[in-house]
Amino acid sequence: MSNQWLITIGINQYQHFQPLNYAQADAQGLWNLVVSRGSFLPERSLLSSDTSPFIEGQSTYPSGENLKQWLDHLCQQAIKQDDLVWFFFSGYGVKWEGQDYLMPIDGNPADVSATGIAIREIYEKLKASKAGTILVLLDMNHQQEHQEGPTVVGNPTVELAREMEIPTVLSSQPGQFSYEVGELQHGLFTAALLEGLRSGAGLTLASLKRYLSERVPELSQNHSRPLQEPVIVVHPPGKSHQVILPEQPAFVGSSNGEWSPVTAQLVGSGATATAAVATTSAGENPFQAALRNQQEATATPAASTNNGQPRPVDATGNDDDEDNGSFVQKFLLWGGGLVLLLLLLLTTFGRNVLFPAGEQAERSGGDSTVGTVTPTQNLTALDRAKVSLRNNQSSSYVAAIKQASQIQPGDAQYREAQAAIERWSRNILDVAQGRANSGNYRGAIAAASVVPQDPQPVFADAERLIRQWTPLAKKQQANQVVLSTAKGLIRPNSASSYFQAIKMAQKIPPGDPGHVQAQTLIVQWSQNILNLARQRASEGNFALAIQAANLVPANTPAYKPARQAIGQWQKQVN
């Protein structure tokens, strides 16, 4: 039996790049979603971020050395024949000497080849793992000053993905930028990815492509950002319908870390459910069939770009996931689609065709109907609730729950609405847990506080987590005061001020909120002391250089080179 492996990397506080706001939340959000649903087990899911914990004594801090060691371990020892692997990265990407690199937290744009991780190296490791299915998802940010040559980051990755036949999704076209949005608390691409996976659009590469190709540009327009369009590379074309999200019962992660199966809920009723059962394939259960038929029924071709040109699937403009079926198959497919479309138009818009006056339409933002146009009058109460789900914010789920709560017992949609309310309440807890995992305990408490009292088990979990996070939030606030005080001690060109700041930051003990941030600052400030010492040595002030270098604390990366430099400078003094 094959296994599923998840590798998620998200980096905010780069040492040599401008910090990102939501890369860590991107990685944490994906990890939370697919693990909580049981698609990937936690023991086979690696999360590497600024604040990710140790795993069996091994650091998951996203330094170049750590990331390479984890990749080597997973690809050489853990991943076996026919396993499924997802590799997700949110952070900076740089092109250098014709290759694309992912930049770890200590990656230096002044020395890309030595401090970056070549995407070719990652692909070769994944390929050597003998995994049966590989999906690479890259939410790559880049700064214009770090681009090299006539082409920018992305083109080499597209070519490499085709060459090595590894399905790859890039957050933006080469030449475009990937954007973060405060309202979404994510990058645009990852926000769309999470929406798509929640709605069932990530079962196959083809369905994921259709969703992202429409939703990412739509989000960039909705949030007043320049056009951003993803790149989806699938080669050979036959891989388009490869299942990339395991079809197994969902799992809900309880707050105590245990995992329990839950019954899958069919979406919709009546004719939709009947059709799903009628078209069940051999080996499928009704839920799988319903999901498959719902995706096929709601799937739309990739949207066009603003200039009217087709949205490219790869850098060459070739759509690699087009079916190569016979003419008869295509005729039946499109013919059936036209019949369904006519029936839908007659059912949904019939009143508008006969009596157009006074009828208004609005853009729907439901779970699986993003981008469709539906008359408000024809929406059910539950449909109106789904329209509220425009992003992964707790306020969005609260609005949907409030709308669905208006459906009374006896209504045909009451049971479905109650199931949706419980699911959305759990989603609020997922958001809260994600904030807590990233160290934002005040934000976690704020999210958990809006969980409704019904259903009672979810509310009880929220109350318990709030009690758990409250003392941590207080510690976090106190430790932030310590770090702010430490930062205030620093004076330009004063090694002793950095030393005093380090002593202040060392007061935050391991395990406390803010400890990882403190350690990051200590590493940074230690390097600043060494840089000042080297500057004084370059000016011939070797005694002052030695005095400064002696302030570099032990157990920091700058300590060893500082001791070596002291030995050399002492010879100059003598």
Side-chain angles (χ1 to χ4, degrees):
M1 182 178 178
S2 62
N3 295 318
Q4 294 86 42
W5 298 90
L6 176 67
I7 303 169
T8 50
I9 304 165
I11 305 170
N12 281 352
Q13 297 298 324
Y14 275 89
Q15 296 176 16
H16 301 283
F17 289 86
Q18 180 180 353
L20 297 172
N21 294 316
Y22 305 113
Q24 179 174 312
D26 289 346
Q28 185 74 63
L30 179 63
W31 195 98
N32 286 347
L33 177 61
V34 297
V35 170
S36 67
R37 293 194 170 192
S39 301
F40 295 84
L41 296 178
E43 59 266 28
R44 290 197 286 270
S45 301
L46 170 67
L47 174 65
S48 179
S49 70
D50 304 39
T51 59
S52 54
F54 280 67
I55 297 178
E56 296 183 355
Q58 299 298 314
S59 172
T60 61
Y61 187 69
S63 65
E65 182 180 0
N66 280 348
L67 292 178
K68 289 180 179 180
Q69 287 180 352
W70 275 108
L71 276 172
D72 286 340
H73 168 71
L74 292 172
C75 293
Q76 295 175 13
Q77 301 179 38
I79 299 170
K80 304 300 182 184
Q81 190 79 30
D82 297 327
D83 283 357
L84 180 148
V85 181
W86 279 26
F87 179 93
F88 173 88
F89 176 86
S90 182
Y92 279 106
V94 172
K95 178 174 176 286
W96 178 255
E97 294 185 346
Q99 285 198 73
D100 282 345
Y101 290 80
L102 300 183
M103 301 307 289
I105 200 165
D106 53 353
N108 190 340
D111 194 5
V112 174
S113 60
T115 63
I117 304 176
I119 292 183
R120 176 173 287 276
E121 179 183 352
I122 296 171
Y123 277 41
E124 288 174 349
K125 290 176 189 278
L126 291 172
K127 197 77 171 179
S129 70
K130 299 181 181 179
T133 303
I134 300 171
L135 176 63
V136 175
L137 300 154
L138 302 176
D139 196 346
M140 288 197 296
N141 291 266
H142 55 274
Q143 295 177 339
Q144 189 62 45
E145 61 267 27
H146 295 138
Q147 301 312 304
E148 168 249 5
T151 57
V152 294
V153 62
N155 278 328
T157 300
V158 169
E159 296 170 4
L160 184 64
R162 291 176 59 83
E163 171 193 331
M164 302 192 70
E165 298 184 356
I166 294 179
T168 299
V169 184
L170 281 76
S171 55
S172 62
Q173 296 282 334
Q176 294 180 347
F177 288 88
S178 297
Y179 295 95
E180 297 184 309
V181 178
E183 295 96 320
L184 299 175
Q185 299 287 296
H186 286 293
L188 282 175
F189 169 78
T190 301
L193 174 65
L194 296 177
E195 285 183 10
L197 294 177
R198 285 192 183 90
S199 68
L203 184 63
T204 66
L205 288 165
S207 61
L208 184 64
K209 171 204 164 181
R210 283 191 290 266
Y211 189 91
L212 293 178
S213 295
E214 178 179 349
R215 187 58 173 155
V216 175
E218 184 178 53
L219 283 176
S220 64
Q221 181 179 6
N222 291 347
H223 294 279
S224 302
R225 297 299 192 274
L227 181 64
Q228 180 179 332
E229 300 166 289
V231 179
I232 299 94
V233 184
V234 186
H235 186 75
K239 288 188 176 183
S240 297
H241 301 289
Q242 189 177 54
V243 174
I244 56 172
L245 191 63
E247 293 181 296
Q248 54 182 288
F251 282 76
V252 173
S254 64
S255 54
N256 60 8
E258 297 177 351
W259 300 87
S260 58
V262 295
T263 304
Q265 298 284 338
L266 278 172
V267 179
S269 57
T272 303
T274 304
V277 175
T279 57
T280 300
S281 302
E284 283 187 317
N285 61 41
F287 172 70
Q288 293 170 331
L291 181 60
R292 174 173 53 80
N293 283 280
Q294 181 192 15
Q295 290 169 338
E296 293 172 355
T298 60
T300 57
S304 298
T305 58
N306 287 351
N307 60 11
Q309 298 299 317
R311 180 170 290 112
V313 174
D314 59 34
T316 62
N318 295 325
D319 189 341
D320 275 348
D321 79 347
E322 288 297 322
D323 290 334
N324 293 321
S326 67
F327 171 78
V328 174
Q329 290 173 320
K330 292 181 179 180
F331 176 81
L332 290 174
L333 175 63
W334 285 101
L338 287 172
V339 171
L340 288 174
L341 178 61
L342 288 173
L343 290 173
L344 179 63
L345 288 172
L346 287 174
T347 302
T348 306
F349 296 105
R351 181 180 175 187
N352 286 18
V353 172
L354 295 175
F355 307 101
E359 296 290 336
Q360 302 293 329
E362 67 176 16
R363 193 170 184 80
S364 170
D367 287 341
S368 58
T369 58
V370 175
T372 61
V373 177
T374 308
T376 306
Q377 293 88 338
N378 291 337
L379 292 176
T380 65
L382 188 56
D383 288 334
R384 286 193 292 273
K386 291 178 180 179
V387 167
S388 303
L389 296 174
R390 297 187 180 275
N391 53 50
N392 188 36
Q393 291 183 294
S394 55
S395 58
S396 177
Y397 291 115
V398 169
I401 290 171
K402 182 178 180 181
Q403 188 73 41
S405 298
Q406 298 176 10
I407 300 174
Q408 301 298 315
D411 190 296
Q413 288 191 316
Y414 178 74
R415 293 183 62 184
E416 186 180 353
Q418 291 301 303
I421 289 171
E422 180 171 0
R423 184 170 65 252
W424 295 334
S425 298
R426 286 287 178 191
N427 286 343
I428 295 175
L429 271 190
D430 287 344
V431 172
Q433 188 68 64
R435 294 178 182 178
N437 290 344
S438 64
N440 181 10
Y441 293 107
R442 294 180 65 182
I445 292 171
S449 297
V450 299
V451 172
Q453 294 188 9
D454 289 318
Q456 181 61 34
V458 185
F459 180 73
D461 283 346
E463 291 288 288
R464 183 180 51 76
L465 287 172
I466 288 173
R467 290 193 298 270
Q468 175 184 325
W469 292 332
T470 297
L472 294 173
K474 292 179 179 178
K475 279 188 178 181
Q476 184 179 48
Q477 186 173 8
N479 289 338
Q480 287 300 319
V481 173
V482 171
L483 291 180
S484 296
T485 303
K487 292 176 183 178
L489 295 173
I490 294 173
R491 299 291 179 268
N493 300 319
S494 173
S496 61
S497 71
Y498 283 108
F499 178 74
Q500 292 300 322
I502 289 172
K503 297 294 288 184
M504 178 70 70
Q506 287 174 337
K507 294 180 179 180
I508 300 177
D512 261 23
H515 174 73
V516 173
Q517 182 183 358
Q519 293 303 305
T520 301
L521 290 172
I522 289 170
V523 168
Q524 177 184 327
W525 294 337
S526 299
Q527 184 63 47
N528 289 341
I529 293 174
L530 179 56
N531 292 342
L532 286 172
R534 287 170 173 168
Q535 179 182 340
R536 291 170 183 174
S538 69
E539 296 169 352
N541 297 324
F542 296 106
L544 291 177
I546 293 171
Q547 182 181 354
N550 275 320
L551 297 177
V552 175
N555 301 321
T556 62
Y559 181 74
K560 184 176 179 180
R563 305 313 300 175
Q564 292 172 345
I566 288 172
Q568 295 173 358
W569 296 334
Q570 284 176 337
K571 295 176 183 178
Q572 299 293 331
V573 173
N574 298 333

